[in-house]
Amino acid sequence: MTSRLEVIVGPMFSGKTERLIAKLHRAQYAKKRVRILKPAHDTRTQGYIASRAVMPDGTTQITDQLSAVMVHDEESFWKIVNLNKFDVLAIDEAQFFPLDTPMRDSLGWFGRAIRRLLRERRNTDLRIIVAGLDMDFAEEPFGPIPGLLAIADNVEKLTGVCMICGSDAGYISYRMISDDKQLVVGDIGEYQVRCRSCYEPPRKKP
Ligand SMILES: Nc1ncnc2c1ncn2[C@@H]1O[C@H](COP(=O)(O)OP(=O)(O)O)[C@@H](O)[C@H]1O
Ligand SMILES: Cc1cn([C@H]2C[C@H](O)[C@@H](COP(=O)(O)O)O2)c(=O)[nH]c1=O
Ligand SMILES: [Zn+2]
């Protein structure tokens, strides 16, 4: 019996939340106590996680959803974790949790909290499942996800269908609006999934 960390990564529209929800449904069938968290920074869906499908007319529709508790900061994370009993802890959109000093820190408070929980409960069946973007629009590692991949027991890297050429190798989220900030909440109007060949890196401002 030991604690374990599973990480699901890939670009936008690769089915990360879909995969996360499928794992959580199975855990619920097995009568496991499931807790779902997500960063308050994600203003797209508040109070739940949702997978969506892109419709032929270009809009998105929610295909499945589960209730989630919003995490504002490290203090609220530990409050939720300490007040609740769970066998499975799931966190979606974890790329939004910040790093302390981007050049030196690879886990941030969130990654360190996950590592601490896994250590403290190493003799239990605790399962932590994290989903998020491993890479931002500029092909840079995103938040604590790459650090979490390093300490994970199991990693799934998903691909989407390239929105330019239709190949199944969509590996990056291409940003269609002009904005240099790393964190820009958005959906089908702001981002596409593209393969390496159809991806162009953003132009640096002179
Ligand atoms: N080019 C595409 N057009 C339409 N749907 C796509 C495309 N590429 C991937 N998908 C599908 O969109 C869905 C996105 O699921 P979701 O869980 O919301 O993704 P994520 O959390 O990774 O953004 C998946 O079912 C995926 O197979
Ligand atoms: C590439 C990229 C994405 N984001 C934002 C856009 C969305 O709100 C989420 C990703 O959602 P999904 O469930 O994976 O579809 O992240 C961002 O802030 N910066 C980026 O570079
Ligand atoms: Zn392509």
Side-chain angles (χ1 to χ4, degrees):
M1 191 193 287
T2 188
S3 54
R4 56 182 280 116
L5 173 63
E6 297 163 39
V7 182
I8 305 165
V9 296
M12 293 176 69
F13 309 103
S14 61
K16 300 182 296 300
T17 306
E18 194 172 77
R19 178 78 184 119
L20 177 64
I21 291 176
K23 283 182 175 227
L24 298 177
H25 281 319
R26 290 185 70 94
Q28 283 169 335
Y29 299 146
K31 305 269 185 290
K32 300 290 181 194
R33 294 164 300 180
V34 172
R35 274 280 142 197
I36 308 170
L37 314 180
K38 65 179 294 186
H41 187 88
D42 186 9
T43 46
R44 213 172 42 174
T45 54
Q46 294 269 336
Y48 62 98
I49 61 169
S51 58
R52 73 259 199 246
V54 184
M55 308 312 285
D57 66 359
T59 58
T60 55
Q61 259 182 32
I62 289 180
T63 48
D64 207 349
Q65 65 184 76
L66 287 173
S67 303
V69 182
M70 308 305 283
V71 174
H72 294 269
D73 51 22
E74 185 172 8
E75 198 185 330
S76 72
F77 174 86
W78 284 112
K79 206 180 252 178
I80 297 159
V81 163
N82 291 328
L83 279 177
N84 293 283
K85 295 214 180 309
F86 49 82
D87 308 298
V88 180
L89 182 66
I91 307 101
D92 199 11
E93 307 287 358
Q95 74 276 357
F96 286 138
F97 290 117
L99 296 180
D100 303 330
T101 327
M103 298 307 288
R104 282 160 181 252
D105 169 43
S106 57
L107 287 173
W109 70 259
F110 173 74
R112 286 192 295 277
I114 295 299
R115 188 174 60 188
R116 183 173 143 195
L117 263 179
L118 290 163
R119 281 180 185 159
E120 283 175 0
R121 305 195 193 181
R122 62 183 175 277
N123 294 326
T124 74
D125 267 337
L126 171 67
R127 217 176 136 198
I128 303 182
I129 316 175
V130 174
L133 297 172
D134 47 343
M135 205 172 22
D136 69 7
F137 72 107
E139 253 179 334
E140 295 292 339
F142 208 159
I145 301 285
L148 287 165
L149 289 172
I151 63 165
D153 297 276
N154 176 271
V155 171
E156 286 173 85
K157 182 147 178 159
L158 308 179
T159 56
V161 179
C162 173
M163 289 181 177
I164 300 296
C165 73
S167 90
D168 207 347
Y171 105 113
I172 190 162
S173 320
Y174 176 78
R175 184 178 282 171
M176 294 185 295
I177 53 167
S178 171
D179 195 326
D180 289 344
K181 286 194 299 293
Q182 190 181 46
L183 302 193
V184 177
V185 173
D187 206 335
I188 192 75
E190 293 77 29
Y191 295 94
Q192 287 181 335
V193 52
R194 291 194 180 185
C195 71
R196 257 182 225 280
S197 156
C198 298
Y199 171 72
E200 297 153 41
R203 290 210 191 106
K204 289 246 183 309
K205 286 205 179 111

